[in-house]
Amino acid sequence: NFIKQNNQIFTAALDARFENSIFWGSEGFVENEVVVQKEGTTAFNVVFDHVLYRVKEDPKQVTLNEIIRNQDPSFDSIDISKRYFDFRLKSNSPAINKGKTGSLTTDFYGLPRNGLPDLGCYERQ
């Protein structure tokens, strides 16, 4: 909610909601995939709802609901050297059926979200 220019901090209101999401970087190079910092006195509302993330410490000044911490989401195939990233979930993923039912009834490919949705943009079929 802020930008720093010429040693001055300018703030703005922030209203952000992350729902049914996965924040997981490759190879564990980053301990905190989620960092939230509030400056000033402007309105600040950040919500993580039904989210899987890698963190050393939960972000401060946010609302957390149904969080899965530091469990590998078991993506299908990641090969950094070949720049190949398939973020569909393997059958053993802790993100399966951990989402919140909402207005999105299909996944990224248009496949149906059955029952409780999976976290992330792909529904395990």
Side-chain angles (χ1 to χ4, degrees):
N1 76 325
F2 71 95
I3 185 169
K4 187 174 183 179
Q5 291 179 337
N6 301 325
N7 292 326
Q8 288 186 327
I9 295 177
F10 301 92
T11 63
L14 177 64
D15 188 13
R17 181 176 194 86
F18 302 93
E19 188 172 285
N20 292 354
S21 301
I22 297 174
F23 296 89
W24 194 268
S26 59
E27 304 294 320
F29 292 125
V30 178
E31 291 180 320
N32 277 315
E33 294 291 341
V34 175
V35 177
V36 177
Q37 182 177 345
K38 178 188 185 313
E39 292 286 340
T41 59
T42 56
F44 187 87
N45 181 38
V46 178
V47 177
F48 291 90
D49 189 5
H50 291 77
V51 170
L52 182 153
Y53 59 40
R54 181 193 329 250
V55 293
K56 185 175 182 181
E57 185 177 311
D58 283 327
K60 304 286 187 234
Q61 301 172 312
V62 302
T63 301
L64 302 174
N65 183 40
E66 299 293 327
I67 303 299
I68 300 173
R69 292 168 188 83
N70 303 320
Q71 291 186 41
D72 188 324
S74 297
F75 293 129
D76 186 81
S77 300
I78 306 294
D79 188 329
I80 296 168
S81 64
K82 294 181 181 177
R83 296 181 170 259
Y84 180 78
F85 304 95
D86 183 342
F87 295 113
R88 290 176 294 169
L89 302 173
K90 292 182 181 177
S91 62
N92 64 336
S93 173
I96 292 175
N97 295 331
K98 298 298 184 189
K100 177 180 180 179
T101 303
S103 60
L104 295 177
T105 58
T106 59
D107 74 356
F108 184 76
Y109 287 131
L111 299 172
R113 298 249 187 207
N114 301 319
L116 287 176
D118 300 339
L119 300 181
C121 65
Y122 302 107
E123 184 72 11
R124 174 88 184 164
Q125 300 294 315

